[in-house]
Amino acid sequence: MPQAAEYQHRRQAFMKSMKPQGIAIFPGASEVIRSRDTHFPFRQDSDFFYLTGINEPDAVLVLLPDAEVSEILFVLPRDPHAEVWHGRRLGCEQAQSLSGVAQCHALNELDTLLPEYLDGSEHLYYAFDQFPVFEAKLREHLRQLRAAPKRSKTAPPHWHDSRPQLHQQRLIKSDQEIALMQRAADITVEAHKRAMQSVRPGMFEYQVEALLQHEFRHHGGAGAAYGSIVGGGENACILHYTSNSDELCDGDLLLIDAGCEYQGYAADITRTFPVNGTFSPVQRALYEVVLASQEAAFAQIKPGSSLPKAQEAAIKVLTEGLIKLGILQGDVKTHINDLSCRRFFIHGLGHWLGLDVHDVGNYDADGAPIKLKPGMVLTIEPGLYFAPDDDTVPEQYRGIGIRIEDDLLVTADGYHNLTAGVPKSIEGIEALMSAGMST
Amino acid sequence: MPQAAEYQHRRQAFMKSMKPQGIAIFPGASEVIRSRDTHFPFRQDSDFFYLTGINEPDAVLVLLPDAEVSEILFVLPRDPHAEVWHGRRLGCEQAQSLSGVAQCHALNELDTLLPEYLDGSEHLYYAFDQFPVFEAKLREHLRQLRAAPKRSKTAPPHWHDSRPQLHQQRLIKSDQEIALMQRAADITVEAHKRAMQSVRPGMFEYQVEALLQHEFRHHGGAGAAYGSIVGGGENACILHYTSNSDELCDGDLLLIDAGCEYQGYAADITRTFPVNGTFSPVQRALYEVVLASQEAAFAQIKPGSSLPKAQEAAIKVLTEGLIKLGILQGDVKTHINDLSCRRFFIHGLGHWLGLDVHDVGNYDADGAPIKLKPGMVLTIEPGLYFAPDDDTVPEQYRGIGIRIEDDLLVTADGYHNLTAGVPKSIEGIEALMSAGMST
Amino acid sequence: MPQAAEYQHRRQAFMKSMKPQGIAIFPGASEVIRSRDTHFPFRQDSDFFYLTGINEPDAVLVLLPDAEVSEILFVLPRDPHAEVWHGRRLGCEQAQSLSGVAQCHALNELDTLLPEYLDGSEHLYYAFDQFPVFEAKLREHLRQLRAAPKRSKTAPPHWHDSRPQLHQQRLIKSDQEIALMQRAADITVEAHKRAMQSVRPGMFEYQVEALLQHEFRHHGGAGAAYGSIVGGGENACILHYTSNSDELCDGDLLLIDAGCEYQGYAADITRTFPVNGTFSPVQRALYEVVLASQEAAFAQIKPGSSLPKAQEAAIKVLTEGLIKLGILQGDVKTHINDLSCRRFFIHGLGHWLGLDVHDVGNYDADGAPIKLKPGMVLTIEPGLYFAPDDDTVPEQYRGIGIRIEDDLLVTADGYHNLTAGVPKSIEGIEALMSAGMST
Amino acid sequence: MPQAAEYQHRRQAFMKSMKPQGIAIFPGASEVIRSRDTHFPFRQDSDFFYLTGINEPDAVLVLLPDAEVSEILFVLPRDPHAEVWHGRRLGCEQAQSLSGVAQCHALNELDTLLPEYLDGSEHLYYAFDQFPVFEAKLREHLRQLRAAPKRSKTAPPHWHDSRPQLHQQRLIKSDQEIALMQRAADITVEAHKRAMQSVRPGMFEYQVEALLQHEFRHHGGAGAAYGSIVGGGENACILHYTSNSDELCDGDLLLIDAGCEYQGYAADITRTFPVNGTFSPVQRALYEVVLASQEAAFAQIKPGSSLPKAQEAAIKVLTEGLIKLGILQGDVKTHINDLSCRRFFIHGLGHWLGLDVHDVGNYDADGAPIKLKPGMVLTIEPGLYFAPDDDTVPEQYRGIGIRIEDDLLVTADGYHNLTAGVPKSIEGIEALMSAGMST
Ligand SMILES: [Mn+2]
Ligand SMILES: [Mn+2]
Ligand SMILES: [Mn+2]
Ligand SMILES: [Mn+2]
């Protein structure tokens, strides 16, 4: 399917869910100030991007299923002077052809046209609270319509959050989305492999982060999809450690949790490996437990199964391992029932992945976990973390944090691991690192 | 001077400018959402960082020159659980010792203590409109004080914008600031040199950007101080071209405008050089004009002089060059008076540099340009841009954009070029590029 | 029906219109500052009063049709100290018995309980934009619920304007409402009669207003339901003339448009009569036209008819009269078709009447005028106004304004005029005035 | 002094207090919704009215002491169509001549002119938090000026609350103000006398309120300056009892606290008298104590004295009286020191009076009470209240509330009682009531 047709398809799916005389409004993101007159790198709103493919600030999409023209896009118009200063713009013509909308207007017409679209509509679909500046304007339009019954104007009396429906849609990835996610995964695989090959004692964590960033951007990604975590030694026990400021020490493990954003889509890989290239016996023992738990979880990933089922499988393996290593004492079954391992496996097993790293989509529906379906993409990321000052744990384990994370596409008969390319067996890691060291 | 003493010194300088019974409030920056539940990399507010050196979100500094305790800092308190999830915090003790304030409280005490500080104060110093969420709270405190005259409460009746005074202070850099700016410059010099050595026809602009990012972060910088501009060919004529999405072509020039942020301080270097390593005669001729104009401008940088004087010098050289090359026709003096060259040199000659790339500080005072003084840092960045479709210009020049930018510290007897390390003579550039190609 | 049962009935009717898992929130009015620390006399929000009968500030009604407890009221709690200062309060017990709600809480529990009610609800009914302070809180509750999916919280995704449904309900008055409206009408009749008897040349308009106010309050009304209009001479041509500052002159007409508010319900009567007690021939001629047009309109008031039909009838009579008096020239039919009389009859013929003087309820539905039904109450108020400087009109008519307005209840077989007690025939008026003058 | 000159004088006094390059902005009040599309009677902002005498909504006064035109007024422009509907407007010409300002513009020019006035000003005087809608616009103007340093625009960096200075000014009344206040007092005296003559057992409190309202408006006042308090029996013990809903009973006292607003100025009189026209011995005994305390307080009212001194005098008399009546037991001095009488005299002795009933102006300065000066107007209103359920008090006193309040102008050698015309001696009251009953 050509791009424009794909976006049309997505918008039509949304419009089918709307009630009669409905209007849906999707604002894009605006530039965000970083400091004084500089901005953060522009990031489009995921919902808007999903529906249009347009990557420019301040655009707005309006859907009017029952109108003659049912898809209207507003973008910054071409402006030679402004573009010399601030960069090229698509303009109406290109934006229309790229997104496939029926009509495209210059942004400055929005204040005139939006009240006309709203007037007489019955159902308004919008993501309340997400765009405060736009929403203030929208609310003012609605207020003015409501205040003008004598001119026969009416504001839509029914308002619906646009997110639940759209996010349910986003949960199932199309072939085109899967292709982009595979590309994001591939770049991320390259980056993790380069990091494994490059790490040596005495390097600083931020130097590893620099390598990852280089790979992400070098291959055409926008950069990191989330704050890269590069934590040596105890730092691995801080789940969102992003300062990446310390020196890497001989004998420590290094945990890297980082993913590239490519055409809006995120990858999300975690690997944990020895700074000096060789796992110590203690590290090895713990690592094997985490890896086995990931494999047990993988086995549950297939249509009809669910994330909690995979988590159950992982917890069983983790609990058995912790008992075997003497970190937990007593009966396996009791510890599984008591979720004792959650003291050390403190986060969830995984999450949806897509345009957002913690992607949209419910985890429950009608009181039960969402069942997996082909086209869903999720991460599986078991981990064990032993706080440096936790004296209930044998000393040799304290200050160790291990996590292994891959990105799985649910397929008709199981799953496809998008990120299998980075070694995670102990032998695989040690072989790659040893090859890196010898260059 | 140890760090804490330096920050104390800065705060005392500000407090000296305050009126009796004054209170100054400086909020720090907060985390900013990038998409859904992910944030942009945290960037501290420059004013807050200048006064405290604290690089954590949501902190607040209160100055009360006439109180017993005149410097009070509020920070996120230590919290083992939150820190496992979101990363380490300084906590009160470390924040106090780092910043040298007299007192440090946990942030959750602010709502109780701030009204007490405000009550009875006469003069409030604050950066209105810059921190909407904080300001809503502050305004509510003020409203409640004003509404309670029967409990003898009073809100400060005089409010002063804290920025004019503080920004005048920030305009003159201390020795410690200069050392940090030299470090930011040094890293940026390395990055530009690596880019020069690496560029080849067929590379993509974003791959050059990837190299710059790698260098910035590898040497301990936070990243790019502003959106890196990597523009090949015509793209050089777009002043803030940051999409960096095109392939570099044999025969084109490449303009790179990029700088590292180190410990909050920005460097800002621009270089323009041939993608294939050798300037063509036309490129050479234009380049020499821009370079000569930069040198003429440099000669004006010294105490007592001003940015407009440097700009005059640059304009003279640019105008003479444009006439010599046949791009302008007629009398030099007339063209200088008419500022004819401004059609091609379309931006300002330079700007203050510091914690912000376009740093704070006025350019005029009492109707006259600010006089240069030792300790000021500014950029000098002449340029010439010929639009690809400008048929008033001889064809060979169309689509060429050239800018050369360095960062100058004003010294007692002239200036020190912080960024002299990147070659900019034609010979220097060609030599470095040729060395790079042979590796 | 006892009062509490009546309110229950109204709430149940509203709840029947709600979708499953719905929540409706109706805030009451708050005190409004008049100047510094004084308030305007408290006026309850009409919708809230209609549903509860509670006449205290800051109360909130919550309806949860699908919950065990489906009607919950929040009121200011009893507080001996506060009541000594600010007046007695109902407190929970009395408020519950008066309104018949299932549960009543102290207002300070609202912030805790409201999020619990909202969490998990699917449909929110509320009057957006009407209560900015309350709405800010409500929006914050919704935001926090939406931000806590990990704690399984959800905000209602569907929001509905509560007004269309409730206002349709308010359009048909119950027997209890009609009794209150008759009482408001009776008091207003007394007031207009006293004014007619008291007016003499040389009185000031505000002195007539003072008489009306005295009557309204003396008989237990809250005061004027809207700004009383007491306009002598030309002032009658200003539709909402409320300054009432001029002296009444011998030979002029006086137009009084004023109504009492009783237990929240408005009356709305207009009479026009000669300041000196005797209509001049010119005044008499015009007055007879307006009165005849009102009678023609009355004849159309019955179930199945509509306000536009009554207006048509009035316009026919007015047009014929204007032609007969030489103010319009030419063919009657043409002038009726052209609505020529609208130059002098510049406002609508009437409006719904109830808790608001311009009461709620649509005038059109599905593109056609609302059909009259028993239980509706409306005013019929034709008028003619000749601007003092309108030289297209024969001189003797200039500066004259006449309006006659009564309040009609639609009954099974026609209408009942609630305000028939104030004379409006020329003889009736002159007789009453003459009786008044002789005392 | 003609009116315009008086307002000029007031504005000049304020401008003298402003710092160089200052701008002062005084918005007037706007119409306030009472219910749906009806408004409360318009009340001008007191500060705006004090400076202009203009009594229309939405006007704005700008003072620019250092500009060529230093006083600029913005008002709603003449508009024949709008005036037919909403009432007459002054328009620019009349508003200018009435207020004496140098220049008057139509309101719709404000958005253009205000930024020009603000640009380059150094000091902004404004009443923050008092006019939220206007302030949002003002803040937006300031934000835009601050954001445009490249177009050499600047927002005033120093903001000053305009109220402290203006309210100090308003504390001393001019001859013209005193004349208006005497008129407000005279009308109020008439109203209280009529009430005294009319009250009988079986009347309802609201019927007495109706009489007061009639008098206030009949004599050209705007109405009640604050919610009239008409409290029979125990209701007198509720300080702001304004529901006025009960029947007056034989044997009870009636407390009336009510004042007329005339040309913006308030009177404030309280009298307490027997419903049946004759004080009982118990009532008489208590009343004499309160009256004596008022007289003792009056004796302290003179230049150089203060409100606390008057309060001390009143407390001494009240305490002695309470001991004499057996309500307090023990030593007078101790009870005076302990302020024992404050259990029954629970409010302040008095307050400033002027455009607001609780008029502006500080009560303390530099830690000491404000000294009385000629031209100040204040109320003196001692009272005693015995709760119906206070069983620490002899039974015969329970449920009695007495307050006596007059309005005093401080003169060169003492005071002038503006409200002496209403009887307050027991004999005077009984005589007037007896005369009233016999008509
Ligand atoms: Mn993850
Ligand atoms: Mn620059
Ligand atoms: Mn009416
Ligand atoms: Mn008082």
Side-chain angles (χ1 to χ4, degrees), chain A residues 128-129 135 139 143 146 157-161 163-164, chain C residues 128-129 135 139 143 146 157-161 163-164:
Chain A
F128 288 98
D129 274 321
E135 190 167 330
R139 292 296 298 270
R143 206 190 55 71
R146 200 180 293 119
H158 309 287
W159 302 356
H160 306 272
D161 190 336
R163 285 161 291 199
Chain C
F128 288 98
D129 274 322
E135 190 166 331
R139 292 296 298 270
R143 207 190 55 70
R146 201 180 292 118
H158 309 286
W159 302 353
H160 307 271
D161 191 335
R163 286 162 290 200

Side-chain angles (χ1 to χ4, degrees), chain D residues 278-316:
Chain D
T278 312
F279 284 88
S280 74
V282 164
Q283 291 165 351
R284 177 180 292 262
L286 282 175
Y287 188 90
E288 293 286 17
V289 170
V290 178
L291 184 58
S293 77
Q294 200 203 30
E295 279 155 8
F298 278 15
Q300 301 301 321
I301 302 305
K302 57 193 164 197
S305 182
S306 71
L307 194 47
K309 275 199 187 153
Q311 184 155 314
E312 235 172 80
I315 281 176
K316 182 162 179 291

Side-chain angles (χ1 to χ4, degrees), chain B residues 19 123 125 128-129 135 139-140 142-143 146 150 152 156-164 358 364, chain D residues 19 123 125 128-129 135 139-140 142-143 146 150 152 156-164 358 364:
Chain B
K19 289 175 190 286
H123 294 272
Y125 294 78
F128 288 98
D129 274 320
E135 189 166 331
R139 291 296 299 272
E140 180 59 21
L142 293 169
R143 206 190 54 71
R146 201 180 292 120
K150 285 178 186 162
S152 292
H158 309 287
W159 302 354
H160 306 272
D161 190 337
S162 56
R163 285 162 290 201
H358 297 152
D364 299 278
Chain D
K19 289 175 190 284
H123 294 272
Y125 294 78
F128 288 98
D129 275 320
E135 190 166 330
R139 292 296 297 273
E140 180 59 21
L142 293 169
R143 205 191 54 72
R146 201 179 293 120
K150 285 178 186 163
S152 293
H158 308 287
W159 301 354
H160 306 272
D161 189 336
S162 57
R163 285 163 290 200
H358 297 150
D364 298 278

Side-chain angles (χ1 to χ4, degrees), chain A residues 7 10 28 43-56 180 262-265 355:
Chain A
Y7 296 123
R10 295 175 190 177
R43 175 49 157 77
Q44 188 54 286
D45 176 77
S46 297
D47 285 344
F48 179 84
F49 189 69
Y50 175 80
L51 290 171
T52 65
I54 300 297
N55 199 22
E56 286 189 358
L180 293 171
Y262 184 79
Q263 303 279 352
Y265 287 86
L355 285 167

Side-chain angles (χ1 to χ4, degrees), chain A residues 352-363:
Chain A
W352 309 128
L353 185 71
L355 285 167
D356 285 287
V357 62
H358 298 149
D359 206 31
V360 296
N362 287 335
Y363 290 89

Side-chain angles (χ1 to χ4, degrees), chain A residues 68-353:
Chain A
E68 249 179 85
V69 180
S70 63
E71 305 183 332
I72 306 140
L73 185 64
F74 293 82
V75 298
L76 289 169
R78 298 298 310 262
D79 176 339
H81 179 77
E83 292 180 53
V84 161
W85 278 91
H86 305 298
R88 291 196 191 89
R89 296 172 182 177
L90 292 169
C92 287
E93 213 170 318
Q94 263 186 279
Q96 182 168 357
S97 102
L98 201 153
S99 62
V101 295
Q103 210 171 73
C104 190
H105 293 287
L107 194 61
N108 49 24
E109 297 184 51
L110 184 65
D111 279 350
T112 311
L113 291 173
L114 193 53
E116 295 179 13
Y117 301 149
L118 288 165
D119 181 19
S121 288
E122 283 291 311
H123 294 272
L124 167 63
Y125 295 77
Y126 179 73
F128 288 98
D129 274 321
Q130 200 164 328
F131 307 92
V133 174
F134 182 86
E135 190 167 330
K137 268 197 200 177
L138 174 61
R139 292 296 298 270
E140 180 59 20
H141 287 314
L142 293 169
R143 206 190 55 71
Q144 288 187 11
L145 289 172
R146 200 180 293 119
K150 286 179 186 162
R151 289 181 289 132
S152 292
K153 304 229 178 253
T154 61
H158 309 287
W159 302 356
H160 306 272
D161 190 336
S162 56
R163 285 161 291 199
Q165 164 64 23
L166 190 62
H167 293 177
Q168 197 174 324
Q169 228 175 290
R170 279 176 54 191
L171 188 49
I172 307 294
K173 272 68 182 176
S174 72
D175 290 349
Q176 303 210 9
E177 290 187 283
I178 292 165
L180 293 171
M181 292 192 72
Q182 183 64 65
R183 179 84 186 109
D186 290 346
I187 297 172
T188 308
V189 163
E190 284 315 298
H192 275 262
K193 284 167 69 180
R194 182 169 164 206
M196 265 188 200
Q197 288 176 295
S198 309
V199 162
R200 275 156 195 55
M203 268 181 87
F204 280 79
E205 293 163 342
Y206 56 78
Q207 294 175 333
V208 182
E209 186 193 341
L211 285 176
L212 297 166
Q213 282 183 343
H214 181 266
E215 291 296 315
F216 293 164
R217 189 70 180 125
H218 180 81
H219 292 104
Y226 53 95
S228 299
I229 297 163
V230 181
E234 297 179 3
N235 294 339
C237 297
I238 299 176
L239 297 184
H240 291 104
Y241 175 79
T242 55
S243 57
N244 304 342
S245 50
D246 290 350
E247 197 174 337
L248 297 174
C249 300
D250 200 348
D252 278 352
L253 290 175
L254 170 62
L255 182 156
I256 300 180
D257 183 347
C260 177
E261 181 176 292
Y262 184 79
Q263 303 279 352
Y265 287 86
D268 182 5
I269 299 179
T270 309
R271 286 296 181 269
T272 312
F273 54 91
V275 168
N276 62 17
T278 312
F279 284 88
S280 74
V282 164
Q283 292 165 353
R284 177 179 293 260
L286 282 175
Y287 187 88
E288 294 287 16
V289 170
V290 177
L291 185 57
S293 77
Q294 199 202 31
E295 280 155 8
F298 279 15
Q300 301 301 321
I301 303 302
K302 57 192 165 200
S305 183
S306 70
L307 195 46
K309 275 199 189 152
Q311 183 155 314
E312 238 172 76
I315 281 175
K316 181 161 179 291
V317 174
L318 288 171
T319 308
E320 290 166 353
L322 288 166
I323 289 173
K324 205 172 129 202
L325 293 173
I327 298 169
L328 293 177
Q329 287 85 27
D331 178 50
V332 174
K333 268 206 176 153
T334 312
H335 278 305
I336 289 175
N337 282 338
D338 295 355
L339 298 174
S340 309
C341 75
R342 298 300 267 151
R343 266 189 60 212
F344 310 111
F345 168 40
I346 52 186
H347 52 73
L349 178 73
H351 50 82
W352 309 128
L353 185 71

